[in-house]
Amino acid sequence: MLEIRDLHVKFHTREREAVAGISLTIRDGEILGLVGESGSGKTVTAMSIAGLLPRKQCRLSGEILLGGKDLLHADRSELRKIHGNEIGVVFQEPMSSMDPLMKVGLQVGETLRIHTDNSPEERKKLVLAALDDVELPDPEAIYNKYPHELSGGMQQRAMIAAAIASRPKLLLLDEPTTALDVTVQAQILELLKKLNRTHGISMMFISHNLNVVRKLCKRVAIMQRGELVETGDTEKIFTDPQHPYTQRLISAIPTRTRKEPV
Amino acid sequence: MKYAAKRILLLLITMILVSFLAFLAFEIVAGDPAQTMLGTEATPERLEAVRQELGLDRPFIVRYFSWLTGFFSGNLGVSYNYKQPVWQLIAPKVENTLWVCFISFILICIISIPLGIWSYNWTNKIWDFFRTAFNQLCMAVPPFFTGILLSWVFGIVLKFFMPGRFPDLHKDFAGALRHMFFAAVCLSIPRIAMTIRMMRSTVIGEMEKAYVRTAISRGNDRKGVLVGHVLKNSLVPVVTFLGQTMAEIIGGSIVVEQVFGIPGLGRFLVASISNRDYPVVQAIVVILAFWVVIAGTVADLVNQAIDPRLRLGGSK
């Protein structure tokens, strides 16, 4: 459903390419994990799919095809039709990613307001359904709350609700659980699995946490310094990593029997 | 609501404090109203009689409290100079000044907030240079100068109003309003420039925030981002600034009223100070203080309506 062909991204202020020729596909209905350390270019990859890179500040080449349309070279008005409607994005910090002065319900309904002709009543019904989808208790009350009145986990659920409200084909999740504590993290992962199952939304899940990726994703891509070092079935990569970098990453996961290498 | 009540209490305390300080100031400053009224030739007996008549022989604290109780019962005292109730004397002047300030404040709000948002689009263009230069010019030119300029262009050349002849507000409302409008324009020009600059820098700061990226990712266009999200988030510091502005334009109105010949509070205050007409000065000072404190309170309450996070402090 989404195909990245030979993507290069170079910021004018940097010597090295942030993304140096990546080719990657996300299949219909799958959750693809994109793993790498900080600065490996995983967020830049996601932002170029989402069309959120500042185009004046970087040089882009390659192709990103969503249902046959090239997103990388689409103009602004075409991109706006795709934003939120075909691609939803969930960011790392739910608190700062939400407009602090807008009620949660209106933020969740924003994609519907922009992309559909629904009446406000219909919209509210859909928003309440989306809040219910992400398992927020008492959607009616949440609808009228401001972001600061919610906990971090609830905020992230609301952000996910906002991203799925208009049923996009693809959900980009940029480290959505990194800012949350471990129990909430596990709940969010379960929620994402459920949404993937029930709505069939394809997802790209970006993380530096291999354990999280292993729980969620069938397929995983490993990035290092802007390049893709290994792609494949998650279990296979975990049990039999081919690339030395992947091997190092996996051996760095602390387990019950082996202490973390110092 | 609790917070609003607290603010109003604070407002009252501030005003009592201000009135006390104003009273004290005249106690310290040299000058005897009786002497001013009677002239230097007056006999000591006559002076003493007048002092008694004005109640100046009583101790300071007693005089203050009698003034304060009078104030709360709506009696601002009697002018030493005009032998008329103070309120009757200053009411029309308060009205004129408040109108000028009100018009000027409205102009500041309706011009600078949209322009402040709009001028964000001018970043990094040649326009930016001209915008900055024009902005600096507007801030630097003093209102009395624009006042003279406007009086000449719109008063003498175009005859929109008659400079120096201010019509009675109650007899010729439209004429008076026209006159006051130009005074208000002078008063507001530097303030508009300042507010636009402030609004613009706030908008630029807000555009860097993460929620803007979220808004774009949902398909908002530039206008949707600016008006739908950034505007409201940029307003809080601007409203605080506008509150201060509201307080400052009443000070600025003194000069502008002079240029346009509008009989307002400022002119009367200056005259009353030199005449040592304490009851009048006292009343005007308290009215001005009232205005300033109210401006701050209103700004705070508006900010709370805009930003729900500010409401948290009030419930404690």
Side-chain angles (χ1 to χ4, degrees), chain A residues 47 52 80 83-84 87 89 91 96-102 107-108 110-111 113-115 146 148 159 162, chain B residues 209-211 213-222 228-230 232-233 236 305-309 311-312:
Chain A
M47 291 306 119
L52 292 173
R80 277 202 292 275
H83 280 157
I87 298 178
V89 192
F91 300 96
S96 56
S97 300
M98 296 181 98
D99 184 338
L101 305 186
M102 194 187 235
Q107 300 200 43
V108 173
E110 201 172 11
T111 54
R113 178 175 58 77
I114 294 166
H115 298 292
Y146 286 96
H148 72 273
M159 284 298 282
Chain B
K209 296 212 173 146
Y211 71 83
R213 190 179 56 175
T214 310
I216 296 168
S217 83
R218 289 181 187 153
N220 275 293
D221 54 11
R222 195 182 180 81
H229 294 274
V230 171
K232 205 174 170 192
N233 277 285
V236 170
I306 295 172
D307 190 341
R309 288 169 298 179
R311 288 172 213 158
L312 291 173

Side-chain angles (χ1 to χ4, degrees), chain A residues 73-147:
Chain A
H73 301 101
D75 63 36
R76 291 244 164 251
S77 61
E78 278 176 75
L79 269 182
R80 277 202 292 275
K81 281 181 209 146
I82 291 161
H83 280 157
N85 196 27
E86 293 183 41
I87 298 178
V89 192
V90 177
F91 300 96
Q92 183 172 348
E93 295 272 349
M95 185 68 183
S96 56
S97 300
M98 296 181 98
D99 184 338
L101 305 186
M102 194 187 235
K103 284 183 179 168
V104 172
L106 294 180
Q107 300 200 43
V108 173
E110 201 172 11
T111 54
L112 296 167
R113 178 175 58 77
I114 294 166
H115 298 292
T116 65
D117 302 323
N118 292 338
S119 68
E121 295 77 36
E122 285 175 296
R123 210 153 64 212
K124 184 167 181 186
K125 227 185 267 168
L126 288 169
V127 169
L128 292 177
L131 290 172
D132 195 50
D133 261 349
V134 296
E135 293 160 7
L136 278 168
D138 197 1
E140 192 75 46
I142 299 274
Y143 188 94
N144 285 313
K145 286 204 161 143
Y146 286 96

Side-chain angles (χ1 to χ4, degrees), chain A residues 192-207:
Chain A
L192 291 173
K193 266 190 201 166
K194 188 199 87 176
L195 292 173
N196 174 254
R197 222 174 29 241
T198 53
H199 297 316
I201 304 174
S202 314
M203 298 181 187
M204 181 156 122
F205 186 90
I206 295 166
S207 182

Side-chain angles (χ1 to χ4, degrees), chain B residues 83-112:
Chain B
K83 308 275 182 267
Q84 270 180 34
V86 171
W87 182 243
Q88 227 172 64
L89 273 173
I90 63 173
K93 296 174 173 71
V94 170
E95 208 175 353
N96 287 339
T97 297
L98 287 188
W99 267 109
V100 171
C101 291
F102 178 71
I103 298 170
S104 151
F105 186 72
I106 296 290
L107 283 174
I108 293 171
C109 290
I110 59 171
I111 294 174
S112 54

Side-chain angles (χ1 to χ4, degrees), chain A residues 37-69:
Chain A
E37 56 195 18
S38 321
S40 60
K42 51 193 196 305
T43 297
V44 176
T45 306
M47 291 306 119
S48 36
I49 300 171
L52 292 173
L53 287 179
R55 285 189 179 181
K56 280 180 195 156
Q57 290 163 33
C58 55
R59 204 185 59 227
L60 300 161
S61 71
E63 279 178 321
I64 297 175
L65 300 168
L66 179 79
K69 271 176 290 184

